[in-house]
Amino acid sequence: MEPAGPDLSWQPLYKVGGVSALVFVALVLVPIALIFLAPLPPADGRALLEYIPDHKVVYLVQLVCFVGLAVPALVVFAAVAVGLMAVNKGVALIGGVLGIASETIALALGSSPQSLHGGLVLLSEAYATAGTDADRAGLVSAADALIAATNAVSWGGILTAAAILVLSLLMRNTVFGRAVGTLGIVTGAVGVVCEALRPVIGEVYLVYGLLLPAWFLLVGLRLLRIPDER
C-alpha cells in the first residue's frame, strides 16, 4: 500500500513541528546532563529547602526545562495530528486533543517531578531567613505539601503517553513509517503504565524516560522531511 500523503498546505506547521520536536529533545537532555553536576532534588521538605540554595541555578534550569517541555510538545502534537488526518480524521483528532490537553495541564501545574516547583524556591528563601524553629517548621510543612502534590500521579503525563499511543496507531502506512509507529505504540503503552505508577516504580520509570525523547526525535526528523508544497 502506498503511504498516505499529508496535506502539504500545512507545510509551515510541519516544519515548526519538526523544529519543536528537536527543541523538546534538547530540553530533556539539558536536565539529564545537569544530574552529573548536582544530585537530584530530595523529596523531603527540610532537605529540599536546604538543597535549593546550594544548587539554585541547577534547580531553576531543571524546572524551566521540564515545565518548558510542554510548549514545543503542543506544537508537535498539533503537527502530527494534522499530518495523520489523511489516514483517519477522527482518530487523529482524538490523539491531537489528548496531546494538547496534556501539555496544557502541564503548563497550568508549572511543576514536575522530581520535586521541581517554583513555589519551593520561594519557600527555601524564606526558610533561610526564618528566625525561629517554629517558623522553619511551618515552612517545612508547606514544602512537604508542595512536594507531595508535585511528585504525585499526573493526569497530564498519562494523557501525553495516551496521545503518543493513539497517534502512533495511525503511522504505519504514512510518511512517519512503520518503525516510528511501532516505537510510538511501545512508548505510549509503557508511558501510561509508568505515569500511573510513577510514585511506586522508582528507577523503572527511566525506561519511559528514554523512549519519550527517542519518539519525539524521530517524529521531528520525519516532520522536517515532509517535502515542500509544489
Side-chain angles (χ1 to χ4, degrees):
M1 180 183 296
E2 184 178 348
D7 183 350
L8 296 183
S9 65
W10 291 94
Q11 184 65 35
L13 177 60
Y14 302 144
K15 295 302 182 186
V16 175
V19 173
S20 295
L22 300 184
V23 171
F24 180 98
V25 174
L27 289 175
V28 171
L29 294 179
V30 169
I32 291 175
L34 290 176
I35 292 176
F36 296 98
L37 299 179
L40 286 173
D44 173 74
R46 187 179 302 277
L48 183 59
L49 294 182
E50 295 173 352
Y51 165 94
I52 292 175
D54 294 334
H55 308 90
K56 195 167 187 177
V57 173
V58 172
Y59 185 87
L60 289 174
V61 171
Q62 290 175 331
L63 174 61
V64 170
C65 285
F66 279 125
V67 174
L69 290 174
V71 177
L74 277 167
V75 183
V76 174
F77 282 124
V80 173
V82 169
L84 293 171
M85 286 288 184
V87 181
N88 189 309
K89 290 183 174 63
V91 176
L93 181 59
I94 290 171
V97 169
L98 287 175
I100 291 172
S102 70
E103 305 312 327
T104 301
I105 292 172
L107 285 172
L109 292 175
S111 62
S112 174
Q114 168 81 10
S115 306
L116 298 171
H117 193 292
L120 291 166
V121 177
L122 299 178
L123 288 176
S124 71
E125 294 173 352
Y127 182 85
T129 59
T132 67
D133 290 340
D135 290 339
R136 283 189 286 271
L139 293 168
V140 168
S141 295
D144 282 330
L146 273 180
I147 292 169
T150 298
N151 294 345
V153 174
S154 169
W155 277 105
I158 294 174
L159 290 178
T160 294
I164 292 172
L165 176 59
V166 171
L167 292 172
S168 297
L169 290 171
L170 301 179
M171 289 182 175
R172 181 175 180 178
N173 293 309
T174 70
V175 294
F176 295 100
R178 182 190 299 268
V180 178
T182 301
L183 175 63
I185 292 170
V186 173
T187 300
V190 170
V192 169
V193 175
C194 286
E195 289 289 357
L197 300 178
R198 184 167 191 163
V200 298
I201 62 175
E203 294 183 356
V204 174
Y205 184 86
L206 291 175
V207 175
Y208 177 54
L210 295 174
L211 290 172
L212 184 64
W215 182 82
F216 270 90
L217 174 62
L218 293 179
V219 165
L221 294 176
R222 295 300 191 279
L223 287 170
L224 291 172
R225 288 171 59 187
I226 293 177
D228 292 332
E229 185 177 15
R230 293 291 185 261

